[in-house]
Amino acid sequence: MKKIILLGGVPGVGKTTIAYSLALKLKIDKVISIDSVKQILMNFISKEKEPYLYTTTHESYLLENKSIIEGYLKHSKIINSYVCKIIEKFKDNILIIEGATVNTEMIDLFDNTKYKVLYINLYTNENELQKRYKEKSKIRKGKWVNNLEIIKKIDIYLRKNGKINIENSKLNLTIERIEKYVKEILYL
């Protein structure tokens, strides 16, 4: 049975940093970034065919005039379904998948006879998030700071629906907490 660690959370909470740090600590060979998969898919799938590929988690609700959460969930479902098809081709027995579309609904996309899945929602406090967004705005096109209220609503949804919510305040402490769940649930 393949084992998958899903790391979700709103943009800027440190999913990528945690994913690679965890992979090093647990000697996991594959980390799959939803952002990378999305970029690759956009080279093969047109905006007309799949407009949700070309938007963000916090702007997807605008595509069909949906609620913020409905837009986020549709965006996530479309992207995650592609990710799951790609994962089926991997031979590795354990993977880490990280991204803002990763959520509890993604678990349902995996065949539970083939996969053992651990989902962890990462979050951080609002002040830290604002600080990170200001830093990231220097290198990213997206205006996360301008969308903070929308992102906070998605964060509330994710925390409410996530069974394991871990605050990412200090890297080593966050890794230790996640490692505890990985050992407990995935028996690594």
Side-chain angles (χ1 to χ4, degrees), residues 77-121:
K77 185 175 183 179
I78 288 168
I79 292 170
N80 293 345
S81 65
Y82 285 110
V83 171
C84 288
K85 287 176 188 171
I86 292 167
I87 298 268
E88 288 174 6
K89 306 296 179 193
F90 279 79
K91 302 290 183 217
D92 302 79
N93 287 327
I94 183 156
L95 305 165
I96 297 174
I97 303 170
E98 64 84 14
T101 63
V102 172
N103 51 43
T104 55
E105 287 81 1
M106 187 176 190
I107 297 168
D108 296 334
L109 298 175
F110 291 102
D111 179 345
N112 65 4
T113 64
K114 295 180 183 176
Y115 299 96
K116 178 84 172 155
V117 180
L118 169 63
Y119 167 69
I120 294 174
N121 178 61

Side-chain angles (χ1 to χ4, degrees), residues 40-169:
I40 292 165
L41 289 171
M42 289 188 322
N43 288 304
F44 300 100
I45 301 170
S46 71
K47 188 175 185 176
E48 293 73 35
K49 182 177 180 198
E50 204 67 88
Y52 279 89
L53 270 179
Y54 291 81
T55 190
T56 64
T57 54
H58 52 277
E59 295 172 329
S60 54
Y61 74 100
L62 298 169
L63 289 179
E64 296 182 72
N65 198 23
K66 295 181 171 291
S67 75
I68 291 166
I69 301 306
E70 287 173 328
Y72 164 75
L73 289 173
K74 183 162 184 183
H75 173 74
S76 296
K77 185 175 183 179
I78 288 168
I79 292 170
N80 293 345
S81 65
Y82 285 110
V83 171
C84 288
K85 287 176 188 171
I86 292 167
I87 298 268
E88 288 174 6
K89 306 296 179 193
F90 279 79
K91 302 290 183 217
D92 302 79
N93 287 327
I94 183 156
L95 305 165
I96 297 174
I97 303 170
E98 64 84 14
T101 63
V102 172
N103 51 43
T104 55
E105 287 81 1
M106 187 176 190
I107 297 168
D108 296 334
L109 298 175
F110 291 102
D111 179 345
N112 65 4
T113 64
K114 295 180 183 176
Y115 299 96
K116 178 84 172 155
V117 180
L118 169 63
Y119 167 69
I120 294 174
N121 178 61
L122 295 172
Y123 70 94
T124 191
N125 68 58
E126 187 176 336
N127 291 335
E128 182 64 25
L129 203 56
Q130 283 181 326
K131 184 175 128 187
R132 292 177 187 189
Y133 285 4
K134 285 178 184 167
E135 282 299 309
K136 292 241 183 196
S137 68
K138 297 174 185 173
I139 57 171
R140 287 208 174 202
K141 293 182 222 170
K143 303 280 189 249
W144 291 349
V145 174
N146 299 344
N147 290 302
L148 187 58
E149 292 306 312
I150 293 166
I151 292 169
K152 282 178 10 185
K153 289 180 182 179
I154 295 170
D155 184 51
I156 290 166
Y157 172 82
L158 291 172
R159 284 202 233 179
K160 184 176 133 195
N161 289 291
K163 290 182 178 133
I164 303 172
N165 294 291
I166 296 178
E167 182 174 8
N168 183 18
S169 55

